[in-house]
Amino acid sequence: MVQENNNKGNQISRRSFLTTGATAAAGFMIVPRHVLGGKGYTAPSDKLRVAGIGVGGKGESDIREFAKGPADIVVLCDVHDSRAANSVKRFPKAKYYKDYREMLDKEHKNIDAVSVSTPDHNHAVQAMAAMQLGKHVYVQKPLTHDIYEARMLTEAAKKYKVVTQMGNQGASGDGVRQLMEWYNAGLIGDVHTVYCWTNRPVWPQGIAWPAQKAEVPKDLDWDLWLGTAPEKDYVNKLVPFNWRGWWDYGTGALGDMGCHIVEPPFRVLGLGYPTSAECSVGSVYVDEFQRGYFPDSCPPSSHVILNFKNKKGGDIKMHWMDGGIQPARPEELGPNERMGDPDGSNGALFIGSKGKMMCGTYGMYPQLLPTARTKEANVPKTIARVPEGHYVQWVNACIAGYGKKELSAPFDIAGPLTETVLMGNLAIRSYDLRTPKADGKGFNYPGRAIQLLWDGANMKITNFDEANQFVKRTYRNGWTLGK
């Protein structure tokens, strides 16, 4: 028995309801799903159909996390069969490809979204190809290898109206939100200085490219792995991990950890593009007073200083330190208390006009200083948490459709963050630029001991043009960013 509704305008008979329902059902049977919602639309009643590009290592854990939400992993793509083996076993119904271009050409009608977890130098071309087909994308950090690529992906996300997320999981954590609430409540005043540090690299850097080429593993497509990078012979111990230390493929310690450690201050302080950059770089000496010169390899350690303007027009100085270099301990920290992570390996320290606070990797372990203040602080939660986590948040947002749900690291946030991180690398690479001295005895290093002035809007160093070669690299023939 249907309960009577006192509002006669809303009454509907059982016969009318059944007739209307039957007509609607017939309509849904003949109208394609994508027509109902437009380009990139995924019906809310469906699971998100995800394709993974790079499904070994971090890519393996990425797609496993997506599958915990309302998602089906329907296509796998990897250039290295043995690295992909676990994912192939876990998702036996998924089709498998080696070339992402072939995969997108043949499967684009069968997928809604793409996860990209490949070496840094191929992120941009793979993500852009997916976005141009109207596919939502999740891209591992750093978003791109170059500043120009980050800007192009950020603009493409808006142009193609796709749901985007970068793989910096801490952006969805409680820690960064706690830091934001403390800062917004004025507990440490206006921040003027930030220190970020890491124990990375944990792979070889500051070394010469191996002289001896090696045999390419039979299950690895070396040409596809190279992708946008220059043609080179395969060498041992490059794949699957140590590529991070070579500029042709990776982005060094900054690219590897910067999006995790710089993200909290970037978000808490609402930073934009830096205004300038400067750096010093650790050296490797190969003989007495003979400094090694290894421009293909990232340095063993570095200290980068990026300058920003805060929302009030004041100055903020951010220090990045890697290779195990750390800032001086704040005097408010006890002698046996660790900075940042519980083991002190990574962290960020905020120095404000009224106090200090710190955190570890991903914004975890947030603390006010002295640490006793942490328990004493009584600041209400004003920023929504992400109980479903970083991965499922993206899956749910994709199902809802573009612009329907908030994300922690969409490209309009992740892009500028990545540009900031890569600006540090631009300074590091400029440090090693050299020209022969006029007398032919030795070299000049014009990029050292100077401050690089950055025009963020136009992506250009204004006072040292040679540095601009690192804003946008040249791809190998046959590879382009977009159609």
Side-chain angles (χ1 to χ4, degrees), residues 3 9 14 94 119 228 258 357 382 402 425 474 480:
Q3 184 175 357
R14 182 174 182 272
T228 63
M357 64 184 184
T382 57
Y402 178 76
N425 276 344
T474 300
T480 60

Side-chain angles (χ1 to χ4, degrees), residues 37 63 70 75 133 158 172 205 238 305 320 330 369 406 411 425 462:
I63 58 175
V75 182
L133 291 170
K158 298 175 182 177
S172 291
Q205 288 191 183
L238 178 70
I305 302 173
W320 168 266
L369 298 181
E406 185 174 351
F411 288 1
N425 276 344
T462 59

Side-chain angles (χ1 to χ4, degrees), residues 174 178 181 379-383 385:
D174 290 354
Q178 178 69 85
E181 288 162 349
V379 174
K381 290 184 178 180
T382 57
I383 302 171
R385 272 35 177 185

Side-chain angles (χ1 to χ4, degrees), residues 173-189:
D174 290 354
V176 68
R177 286 158 177 76
Q178 178 69 85
L179 292 167
M180 291 173 71
E181 288 162 349
W182 286 340
Y183 185 66
N184 293 343
L187 296 190
I188 65 168

Side-chain angles (χ1 to χ4, degrees), residues 141 198-207 237 241-245 252-254 256-257 298-301 322-324 343 345-346:
K141 55 77 194 167
T198 182
N199 64 345
R200 303 291 175 105
V202 292
W203 52 83
Q205 288 191 183
I207 58 176
K237 297 185 178 180
F241 190 73
N242 291 344
W243 54 264
R244 290 164 172 80
L254 236 176
D256 189 71
M257 292 302 291
C298 309
S301 61
D322 59 42
D343 64 357
S345 58
N346 309 285

